[in-house]
Amino acid sequence: MLCLTPSAVTLRLQALEKELGQLLIIRSKPCTLTTSGQQVFEYLKKSQRLEQFFLHNLMNKSQAEFFKVVIASNADSLATWLLPTLKDVLINNKILLNLIVDDQAHTYVHDPALKTHLVSSLLNSDFVGP
């Protein structure tokens, strides 16, 4: 939670847009990211993952916070093979999952979260950094 008023967020966004010389958000209902806004968003998410990975490895893993990963899955995969496949990796590497479950017919093109790359996935048994 940011604990900021909408006008404060708008002012900070406008200041960032002015500094970068790029429009980042199309102000419509709902707001959408411009191409430049998408690039900034992806950069910030990647930076966040790098920082999290760095802190996770720097600290003793027994004392480190959990490494947070978002995974999108359909309900069938979740109910059958996904969690058993990932269980050992999640436990050994202190990974906390945020699961997004949707219908398997829901595709990349139709899902705005997937379309804007909000979802990272970890689908193999080797823990790899961001």
Side-chain angles (χ1 to χ4, degrees):
M1 180 173 275
L2 294 175
C3 297
L4 296 172
T5 63
S7 59
V9 172
T10 298
L11 288 172
R12 290 178 186 193
L13 178 60
Q14 288 172 340
L16 180 60
E17 288 176 329
K18 184 176 180 181
E19 182 179 334
L20 296 174
Q22 299 285 325
L23 183 65
L24 301 176
I25 291 183
I26 299 170
R27 289 155 177 86
S28 60
K29 299 254 179 183
C31 291
T32 56
L33 294 172
T34 63
T35 302
S36 297
Q38 183 64 41
Q39 290 174 344
V40 169
F41 178 77
E42 289 175 14
Y43 169 78
L44 293 173
K45 291 300 285 184
K46 189 173 187 176
S47 296
Q48 182 183 37
R49 286 191 306 269
L50 286 171
E51 178 183 3
Q52 188 179 28
F53 183 68
F54 168 75
L55 292 173
H56 182 77
N57 286 326
L58 181 66
M59 300 165 70
N60 181 342
K61 288 188 181 183
S62 64
Q63 298 172 349
E65 290 186 20
F66 283 84
F67 191 84
K68 298 171 187 128
V69 176
V70 180
I71 295 180
S73 173
N74 62 48
D76 291 341
S77 295
L78 183 61
T80 55
W81 66 268
L82 184 62
L83 291 179
T85 302
L86 296 175
K87 181 184 81 169
D88 291 338
V89 174
L90 299 174
I91 292 169
N92 294 337
N93 293 287
K94 295 184 74 173
I95 298 173
L96 177 65
L97 286 183
N98 179 4
L99 291 169
I100 297 174
V101 181
D102 210 337
D103 186 287
Q104 66 187 17
H106 208 118
T107 66
Y108 174 86
V109 173
H110 296 102
D111 190 328
L114 293 173
K115 189 173 182 179
T116 56
H117 306 286
L118 292 175
V119 180
S120 303
S121 64
L122 175 68
L123 294 176
N124 62 43
S125 60
D126 297 325
F127 179 70
V128 210

